[in-house]
Amino acid sequence: MAGGPLDLLIVGSGPAGLAAAKRAQHHGMTYRVLEGSDHLADTIHRYQKGKHVMAEPGLIPLHEGVPFAAGSREEVLAALDECAAANGLAVHFGERVTAIERAQDAAGFRVTATSGTHSSKAVVLAIGTRGNPRRLGVPGDDLPQVSHRLVDPDEVVDEDVVVVGAGDSALEVALALADRNRVSVIVRRAEIVRAEESLEREVLSRNQAGGLTVHFSTTVRRIAPGEVELAGPEMDSTVAADRVFLMLGAEPPRRWLESIGVAFSGSGREARPVLDASYQSAVPGLYLIGAVTGRDLIKLAINQGHEVVEHILGHPVEAADEPVLRERLPFWDGTADQRIAALRREVPLLAAAGEADLRELFLAVTAREAPDGEVVVRQNDYTDSFQVIAAGTVEVWVRTEGAAEDRLVATLGAGNFFGEMSLISNRRRNATVISRGARLIEIPRKAMLKLLALSPEVKAMVDRAFLVRAFQGYLFPGVDDDTIWPLASRAEVSTVDKGKTLFEEGDPADSLYLIRSGMVKVSKRSGDREIVLSYLVAGNFFGEVSLLPDALRTAAVSTIFPCELIRLGHAEIASFLAVHPELAGELTGKLEERQLATLRTEATPGAGQVLTDLIREEVVIGTDALIIDHHLCVRCDQCIRACEGVHDDGQARLSLTGIQLYNLLAPNSCWQCENPLCMLDCPPDAIVRNARGEVQIKSNCIGCGNCEANCPYGNIFMVHTRPEPSFGGWLRKIFALDPAPAESDDAGREVAVKCDLCADLPGGPACVRSCPTGAAIRLTPDEYQQTLEELIVRQGEP
């Protein structure tokens, strides 16, 4: 090439490449941008018509250079075109790069492209990955109706559409087509993990309202003309499909990158190129930025383009996320890189993650000092963050069913973590954690799930902790991790579909099970009837009779929902107890407790049927249900009047209609569902769940009615606000509430209301406190079976 080698050759004209070009031009470098297509930013160009492009992460500022703001696909492309033209950026179109090799003097590179060979001292690869879409690898994934991109939503009308995937692109395609087509979304996991929360919320809301259908825990077996065969958690099925969109993401051209010397972090699909802090690969002078690095957010790509040029020139440069990360990690010294390095030394879990992944994770974390004695999480709370202990210790306390007090099951020190139970099973906290002068890093559940998906090493460590602590919490309390691990390491984790029988009464008892997620039914036969002994959710164990030699199953167990189960064989347990005979007594005691509970249940006429009926009617999906015993109720309506009186609008949050079973009424009053559908589509996020499980509507409600429509039980009402009635003022004095606020300009507007368990009322719900006969009671799930059977069976009901 005449004139000597370039200072810099940039491959790709997306936001990252243009940012690098503009910075190189700013510093007077000789450079060239090679673009294989006939337009800028081919990845964005491939977005569907009218697609909204988000400016994420919102916390991170942009370096000066290439402009970018959230907007439509067309607006973003126009801004990039204008930037390139206004600055005269040296972009050469139709230049497809086929080879990059070291120059003979090893002082630079020879790059072969469509027009010939280019020579450059350094090369920046700013290529996207859209040209390498992931395939399903099932029969039919190459049929004509299968596509990896949506060009124009307006061209797809009145068709059956199947969208496979759960990332941003998949959800955007589903939403773009849902109004004028019949759309099914296929999600491999039990929940949507990696998409933006706003997209997830809208898709779930439309799924609930019937605007589209989401198939969770489902995979594609085969694609055929006009249909797609699915393997789901309940049964295999077939859905109609005129079009199929495989929105599974894309992969970097790994073989080609490895052929030019780029190393990867592992062999798995999620492995990323290995880069140093300056974005340099294993090949000196060869740099990777943008989507090819595995971080495909446009703001990050633009910042990388700016920074990589500064690194090449040897200039000090502060990463755009530097101030945010220093603020998020205030207890450590130095730059963000130095603080992250210190944390990786302190916490083995974080050392297992890649540095780029950690930078992204730490944008979402909160680091704080928890004073000695502070209750960090409380057993049965509805919080789901994952916590890392950076310094100090915490104590883990558990109260088992029927126990009078908590017992200490573990003390965790610096470098450890907790919250893996809630992280994996997405249920209530199973233990109380008390700080002993701990420094904690709190990670939101979705951010941690994303890290698990990206890092197999981190996932393996969290899974190991789950196994160890499950055994500690339910079988061997107080036994240290090193003692438990040889047993836990022999356990098998399996996924079981809904409605499957795990074993029958009388089968050989060859294994013990722990429930990692899901729900099972334990039952046995008594003559011609089934006795339901219990329903067990995540964190519980069953099959403990296998602890005895040559035992037979005393009950049958089947899955109510799809389950992840941890299985431990009798031989493994026996070997462990042979090494630790002192632990055998603990297990024998648990077995005797279960056997006595079974005998009591069998001796009670109608036992188990009550809970079965309530589950069938979906009453026990709730976390706190109001029950009225008609044996005691005198129909005085004091519960209704008390509810009316303690609310400023005078609207009762319950009605004495509902589900009648035996002598019990489950009235129309919010059941504080474990998975509240009312929360799916609230534009101002006015409906929230607090740590105790109470679902509440905040004062910023705009009265859109979405929560009322999404509640399947009719327990949310739309009312007009009004000044407090005089009866309400009288009740406020009785229940020691604050005086009613003065009437505001908002009086008369329509808002949503629902039972919030009188969260601001000392002493608990007014309906229960005002009942003169004790007929109204509030129950949590662990109280359902025993309490309700006493109210029904033992009072002579059939």
Side-chain angles (χ1 to χ4, degrees):
M1 177 177 177
L6 298 165
D7 292 326
L8 180 62
L9 190 70
I10 302 165
V11 183
S13 71
L18 292 181
K22 193 165 186 298
R23 199 62 186 166
Q25 184 168 281
H26 170 81
H27 285 295
M29 299 174 71
T30 57
Y31 75 94
R32 182 169 295 174
V33 180
L34 303 183
E35 168 58 52
S37 69
D38 61 356
H39 48 259
L40 296 177
D42 187 55
T43 294
I44 300 175
H45 197 273
R46 288 169 176 263
Y47 289 169
Q48 68 258 27
K49 176 183 175 183
K51 170 185 162 74
H52 179 74
V53 182
M54 293 179 287
E56 297 290 337
L59 291 171
I60 297 180
L62 277 174
H63 288 304
E64 291 183 7
V66 174
F68 173 63
S72 69
R73 161 192 177 270
E74 290 74 16
E75 290 170 338
V76 172
L77 288 174
L80 295 177
D81 285 338
E82 182 179 351
C83 174
N87 291 279
L89 299 183
V91 181
H92 296 251
F93 295 104
E95 290 281 5
R96 183 176 179 81
V97 173
T98 57
I100 300 176
E101 54 190 352
R102 278 288 198 181
Q104 290 183 350
D105 58 4
F109 296 89
R110 290 170 55 83
V111 179
T112 304
T114 304
S115 64
T117 301
H118 305 262
S119 178
S120 180
K121 298 175 185 176
V123 174
V124 170
L125 293 181
I127 56 178
T129 58
R130 286 282 173 145
N132 304 280
R134 289 172 176 158
R135 306 195 69 86
L136 272 178
V138 302
D141 71 352
D142 57 351
L143 289 173
Q145 73 266 32
V146 178
S147 176
H148 296 276
R149 61 180 290 225
L150 171 64
V151 178
D152 186 352
D154 294 337
E155 295 178 353
V156 186
V157 179
D158 194 27
E159 294 188 18
D160 293 301
V161 178
V162 172
V163 180
V164 184
D168 290 346
S169 296
L171 301 192
E172 287 166 344
V173 167
L175 292 171
L177 298 176
D179 288 337
R180 294 189 291 175
N181 300 276
R182 298 166 295 280
V183 176
S184 298
V185 183
I186 313 303
V187 180
R188 178 172 56 88
R189 297 175 180 269
E191 60 182 309
I192 295 169
V193 172
R194 299 176 67 174
E196 283 295 318
E197 188 175 343
S198 59
L199 292 172
E200 177 191 6
R201 188 164 56 235
E202 186 172 357
V203 165
L204 293 178
S205 176
R206 293 208 181 195
N207 178 59
Q208 175 62 28
L212 51 76
T213 303
V214 182
H215 300 268
F216 288 104
S217 301
T218 299
T219 56
V220 174
R221 283 192 182 276
R222 186 174 73 94
I223 301 173
E227 64 181 27
V228 173
E229 293 182 10
L230 304 176
E234 299 183 21
M235 64 182 69
D236 294 349
S237 59
T238 300
V239 295
D242 299 312
R243 296 179 192 246
V244 179
F245 291 95
L246 302 182
M247 310 303 294
L248 305 173
E251 297 175 342
R254 178 162 179 164
R255 286 188 181 179
W256 182 74
L257 289 171
E258 288 180 326
S259 74
I260 61 177
V262 176
F264 279 75
S265 60
S267 58
R269 194 172 77 168
E270 299 292 347
R272 297 180 176 185
V274 176
L275 306 174
D276 65 16
S278 67
Y279 311 112
Q280 185 172 232
S281 71
V283 180
L286 179 62
Y287 300 81
L288 275 64
I289 59 174
V292 72
T293 69
R295 306 183 79 191
D296 56 0
L297 298 175
I298 294 176
K299 285 180 70 174
L300 297 181
I302 292 174
N303 285 335
Q304 288 175 348
H306 174 103
E307 293 163 13
V308 72
V309 173
E310 299 296 331
H311 287 305
I312 290 170
L313 293 173
H315 297 165
V317 57
E318 182 175 271
D321 59 3
E322 179 76 20
V324 180
L325 289 173
R326 288 202 302 266
E327 181 181 347
R328 294 288 180 177
L329 303 173
F331 303 114
W332 294 267
D333 297 323
T335 65
D337 282 339
Q338 291 169 333
R339 298 180 193 210
I340 292 172
L343 272 168
R344 297 184 83 196
R345 290 192 297 270
E346 297 167 6
V347 183
L349 181 75
L350 299 179
E355 292 186 27
D357 294 334
L358 286 180
R359 290 188 79 95
E360 191 169 336
L361 176 76
F362 286 143
L363 292 174
V365 308
T366 301
R368 69 184 187 91
E369 303 275 11
D372 185 67
E374 177 185 323
V375 177
V376 180
V377 298
R378 194 177 299 278
Q379 188 169 351
N380 291 322
D381 271 3
Y382 257 103
T383 54
D384 59 6
S385 60
F386 184 87
Q387 308 250 14
V388 172
I389 307 167
T393 62
V394 301
E395 295 174 348
V396 182
W397 295 78
V398 171
R399 179 173 298 189
T400 55
E401 186 177 353
E405 57 186 24
D406 295 351
R407 56 185 171 86
L408 179 67
V409 296
T411 299
L412 306 178
N416 221 312
F417 54 86
F418 59 93
E420 73 287 340
M421 290 282 195
S422 296
L423 178 74
I424 292 172
S425 63
N426 195 22
R427 298 187 70 87
R428 290 172 179 260
R429 296 288 190 184
N430 71 321
T432 295
V433 177
I434 299 176
S435 169
R436 294 303 174 202
R439 177 179 293 166
L440 301 174
I441 300 174
E442 183 174 4
I443 306 173
R445 181 172 184 269
K446 283 295 180 70
M448 191 63 197
L449 287 174
K450 184 175 181 181
L451 180 64
L452 296 185
L454 292 172
S455 176
E457 294 82 5
V458 173
K459 184 178 186 302
M461 294 180 71
V462 172
D463 285 348
R464 168 178 168 156
F466 181 95
L467 289 172
V468 168
R469 290 169 192 172
F471 286 120
Q472 287 173 330
Y474 295 94
L475 294 178
F476 304 110
V479 179
D480 62 78
D481 291 11
D482 291 340
T483 300
I484 290 290
W485 175 241
L487 177 65
S489 64
R490 299 179 185 179
E492 300 174 358
V493 180
S494 61
T495 301
V496 183
D497 291 343
K498 174 182 178 181
K500 300 295 184 182
T501 298
L502 298 169
F503 51 77
E504 297 279 7
E505 185 178 357
D507 287 350
D510 61 351
S511 52
L512 173 76
Y513 293 85
L514 284 163
I515 307 172
R516 180 181 168 105
S517 64
M519 184 179 190
V520 303
K521 177 179 72 174
V522 183
S523 63
K524 64 185 305 171
R525 304 300 303 180
S526 178
D528 60 352
R529 69 189 180 100
E530 179 186 50
I531 299 176
V532 177
L533 302 177
S534 62
Y535 290 88
L536 303 176
V537 297
N540 284 280
F541 68 93
F542 60 91
E544 64 281 354
V545 72
S546 62
L547 302 173
L548 301 176
D550 303 320
L552 299 178
R553 297 293 187 191
T554 58
V557 175
S558 57
T559 55
I560 298 299
F561 301 121
C563 293
E564 273 196 337
L565 301 175
I566 302 168
R567 177 185 174 276
L568 195 62
H570 172 78
E572 286 76 19
I573 298 173
S575 297
F576 178 75
L577 293 179
V579 178
H580 303 283
E582 71 280 3
L583 301 177
E586 182 81 22
L587 289 179
T588 302
K590 290 183 178 296
L591 179 57
E592 290 173 351
E593 289 174 9
R594 288 284 180 96
Q595 289 173 327
L596 287 172
T598 299
L599 290 173
R600 284 195 298 268
T601 302
E602 289 184 80
T604 306
Q609 188 60 44
V610 176
L611 195 57
T612 299
D613 290 342
L614 288 169
I615 283 184
R616 185 188 66 245
E617 297 292 347
E618 296 188 333
V619 174
V620 297
I621 66 169
T623 63
D624 192 301
L626 174 64
I627 301 292
I628 296 177
D629 181 2
H630 276 177
H631 280 159
L632 298 177
C633 180
V634 294
R635 282 62 169 180
C636 64
D637 289 343
Q638 284 293 336
C639 55
I640 300 291
R641 295 166 66 189
C643 188
E644 291 174 343
V646 296
H647 295 104
D648 295 341
D649 50 47
Q651 169 69 50
R653 271 59 167 167
L654 68 98
S655 168
L656 296 183
T657 58
I659 296 172
Q660 180 79 46
L661 288 171
Y662 309 104
N663 57 303
L664 301 183
L665 173 69
N668 281 111
S669 173
C670 178
W671 293 335
Q672 314 298 331
C673 297
E674 186 163 81
N675 182 25
L677 300 177
C678 57
M679 294 174 62
L680 291 181
D681 186 22
C682 179
D685 290 324
I687 187 163
V688 297
R689 158 165 265 151
N690 67 22
R692 291 174 295 178
E694 297 152 1
V695 179
Q696 300 171 301
I697 300 176
K698 298 188 296 185
S699 60
N700 59 324
C701 173
I702 61 174
C704 67
N706 289 355
C707 56
E708 180 189 36
N710 287 339
C711 175
Y713 310 108
N715 291 336
I716 296 182
F717 317 95
M718 303 302 296
V719 302
H720 289 277
T721 58
R722 64 177 177 82
E724 181 183 26
S726 58
F727 182 66
W730 175 72
L731 276 178
R732 279 185 167 272
K733 292 180 181 179
I734 289 180
F735 288 112
L737 287 174
D738 294 334
E743 184 177 352
S744 69
D745 294 338
D746 289 335
R749 69 187 180 95
E750 190 175 54
V751 296
V753 298
K754 60 173 289 299
C755 174
D756 61 359
L757 303 179
C758 292
D760 299 322
L761 179 63
C767 57
V768 174
R769 295 184 65 196
S770 67
C771 179
T773 65
I777 58 175
R778 284 277 184 181
L779 296 175
T780 56
D782 57 354
E783 300 171 312
Y784 284 145
Q785 184 164 7
Q786 181 177 349
T787 304
L788 297 183
E789 283 180 358
E790 288 178 356
L791 292 177
I792 296 173
V793 179
R794 297 174 188 176
Q795 294 186 16
E797 289 291 329

